[in-house]
Amino acid sequence: MKLKYEIIKIGILGLKLIYMPIRKRRKKDKIVIISRQSKNRSLDIALLSGYLEKQHPEIELKVLVRFIDSGVLSKIAYAFHVLRQMNEIATAKVVVLDGYCIVASVLQHSNDTKIVQMWHSMAAIKRFGWQTIDKKGGHSRELAGIMCMHKNYDYVIAPSEITGRFFCEGFGCDSDKIQQFCLPRIDYIKQLCRNTKENDGKEINNIGINSTHEMILYAPTFRKNTGLKVKELFESIDFDRFELVVKPHPLFEEDFAGIIQEMGIEGNVIMGSEKSTFEWFAICDRVISDYSAIAIESLVTGKPLYFYVYDIDEYEEDTGLNVNPLHEVPTISAKSGTELKQLLDNQYDWTAYEKLSEMYLRADTEECTKKLAEFIIGVADGSIKKEY
């Protein structure tokens, strides 16, 4: 491990030497958006860049999206991509990130370059970043220090003060960097819900789903160290009343499909891989999640939300939680299938729902793309300045 760390240190030193003359280049009226979260532009980046390109053509915009696959060739390709990032950042007034970026964090940038971290999640129900240092689900303190994990952010986007506090802990930054905005995806979710309502409530993108039953969306988070225990959930659903849509992480789709087939409930459960989670938000009548930010994002739909947290003890030990649903909203949270069935059968507690919204979705949910984009433009043109 020590050899690996020494190699990383040498690599970072090389980047710093290369960047020293590059960072002195003259700044342009340019915004750079960088992501390694996926192979294509995420929904947030697509909406944000689309708005900037249309409403502010006077600003040069560069979008650099590159996913690092596990193969050696992918890593070599990303190394060359890092050189491009360095060149674009050096001449930009604003850099927008939705995750950790090596170049943004390990290098020393000009004071005229501002970095905005909009993150790829609307919440921090589970702990992350510096909150998970030396835990089973996190990085080692030594590696985080070498990689300057989440260093150099001038502004951090969060939808509420409480989530902002979690982000500060996860990024290791001060609270004065927090700016309250919702991500552009909220515009998309709300528009989908409006469209679906106009199309008789059960239709989206010209694909009709007709059912006399209520539809429940189950969208669990990715689980690295704990196994799937969903049979109890399936057994808790009254299929005479409900149809269930399952939207798991892509790595677990086959596992879910196998359990559904084993239980012989294919006619009552829809594997939701053909639509995005946000599209299912619009179609379904209720939502079940756990430690995923999807739970908070679903609050803009106005549809009942439930937390099914059967492995909360293991999850707390491995990764840790900022938000414990069993403590904060026990009347809409269940640790077992029996408890979940009772929640589905009983009258929904809208007071708990409103409590979650008040705590974790405080930012304005109207015109989220526009508000975030105009903030970034303000940082770029100097009308929004941060005093240090």
Side-chain angles (χ1 to χ4, degrees):
M1 188 63 73
K2 285 190 175 295
L3 177 60
K4 176 183 176 180
Y5 289 169
E6 291 303 317
I7 293 173
I8 292 174
K9 288 179 182 178
I10 293 171
I12 290 174
L13 177 60
L15 290 179
K16 290 180 177 179
L17 292 174
I18 294 171
Y19 192 60
M20 285 177 64
I22 297 176
R23 70 186 289 267
K24 297 178 182 179
R25 295 181 62 189
R26 184 178 178 181
K27 292 288 180 290
K28 301 178 182 179
D29 289 331
K30 181 169 75 174
I31 295 170
V32 178
I33 302 175
I34 298 177
S35 175
R36 63 187 182 98
Q37 296 301 311
S38 62
K39 296 180 179 179
N40 302 304
R41 296 187 186 191
S42 68
L43 175 61
D44 292 317
I45 291 177
L47 291 171
L48 179 61
S49 61
Y51 179 92
L52 291 171
E53 287 167 347
K54 183 177 180 179
Q55 300 298 331
H56 293 278
E58 75 280 5
I59 297 288
E60 182 181 351
L61 180 67
K62 295 287 185 180
V63 180
L64 307 181
V65 176
R66 177 64 69 98
F67 182 75
I68 309 176
D69 285 316
S70 57
V72 175
L73 291 179
S74 176
K75 289 180 173 59
I76 293 173
Y78 192 80
F80 285 102
H81 185 69
V82 162
L83 297 177
R84 184 183 176 193
Q85 289 179 358
M86 293 165 65
N87 182 64
E88 298 293 356
I89 289 176
T91 55
K93 289 187 175 179
V94 178
V95 178
V96 182
L97 311 174
D98 69 347
Y100 171 75
C101 173
I102 297 171
V103 173
S105 289
V106 303
L107 301 180
Q108 183 178 355
H109 305 287
S110 164
N111 292 333
D112 296 331
T113 298
K114 302 303 179 186
I115 299 178
V116 178
Q117 175 59 265
M118 71 173 182
W119 204 229
H120 55 271
S121 175
M122 279 278 292
I125 294 178
K126 52 193 175 187
R127 291 177 175 267
F128 74 103
W130 284 98
Q131 291 182 314
T132 60
I133 289 298
D134 292 331
K135 295 197 73 169
K136 188 175 181 180
H139 297 291
S140 72
R141 186 172 300 277
E142 184 177 2
L143 179 60
I146 293 171
M147 299 300 292
C148 301
M149 190 167 72
H150 299 305
K151 189 179 178 182
N152 292 336
Y153 302 156
D154 294 286
Y155 301 98
V156 173
I157 306 304
S160 72
E161 291 180 10
I162 296 177
T163 298
R165 188 175 73 241
F166 299 151
F167 280 2
C168 285
E169 294 173 3
F171 297 140
C173 70
D174 296 329
S175 60
D176 62 352
K177 299 187 183 221
I178 298 297
Q179 299 291 321
Q180 279 194 34
F181 294 99
C182 286
L183 293 179
R185 67 183 68 178
I186 295 299
D187 292 338
Y188 181 75
I189 294 169
K190 294 180 77 171
Q191 187 59 53
L192 282 176
C193 289
R194 284 192 292 267
N195 291 345
T196 304
K197 186 175 181 180
E198 291 170 3
N199 290 320
D200 200 25
K202 293 293 182 186
E203 201 171 30
I204 190 169
N205 293 342
N206 297 319
I207 301 175
I209 298 179
N210 298 309
S211 173
T212 57
H213 296 169
E214 280 191 84
M215 298 188 69
I216 299 175
L217 170 65
Y218 177 48
T221 193
F222 172 73
R223 283 165 166 77
K224 185 188 298 185
N225 299 317
T226 59
L228 292 175
K229 301 175 184 176
V230 293
K231 283 187 178 181
E232 195 174 348
L233 177 140
F234 293 149
E235 290 170 350
S236 72
I237 304 297
D238 181 357
F239 291 118
D240 290 330
R241 293 177 54 202
F242 302 112
E243 282 189 81
L244 182 66
V245 177
V246 177
K247 183 67 176 174
H249 188 281
L251 292 177
F252 290 116
E253 285 182 357
E254 289 188 10
D255 296 311
F256 269 87
I259 293 171
I260 290 167
Q261 185 176 16
E262 179 186 336
M263 296 181 68
I265 54 176
E266 298 95 326
N268 303 111
V269 180
I270 300 169
M271 287 298 296
S273 55
E274 293 185 3
K275 294 182 183 296
S276 71
T277 302
F278 302 146
E279 288 175 316
W280 286 118
F281 275 173
I283 297 170
C284 291
D285 304 292
R286 309 189 192 198
V287 177
I288 300 173
S289 191
D290 41 37
Y291 323 110
S292 172
I294 285 169
I296 303 304
E297 293 162 354
S298 76
L299 295 173
V300 299
T301 68
K303 298 178 181 181
L305 165 69
Y306 305 87
F307 291 92
Y308 179 54
V309 288
Y310 60 86
D311 58 351
I312 193 167
D313 296 331
E314 297 96 321
Y315 211 94
E316 181 73 79
E317 182 178 349
D318 288 348
T319 303
L321 294 172
N322 290 313
V323 182
N324 185 321
L326 292 177
H327 294 164
E328 295 201 21
V329 282
T331 55
I332 59 173
S333 303
K335 195 175 180 181
S336 68
T338 301
E339 293 175 357
L340 180 61
K341 186 177 187 308
Q342 290 176 346
L343 293 181
L344 294 172
D345 288 342
N346 295 336
Q347 186 173 358
Y348 188 73
D349 185 358
W350 288 104
T351 301
Y353 187 98
E354 291 167 4
K355 176 185 176 182
L356 282 176
S357 295
E358 279 290 311
M359 293 176 68
Y360 301 111
L361 204 60
R362 293 283 292 176
D364 192 352
T365 60
E366 296 296 328
E367 297 186 309
C368 302
T369 305
K370 177 182 178 180
K371 287 183 172 66
L372 178 57
E374 294 300 334
F375 168 77
I376 292 169
I377 289 295
V379 175
D381 66 20
S383 60
I384 294 176
K385 294 183 179 180
K386 186 172 179 56
E387 300 296 332
Y388 293 95

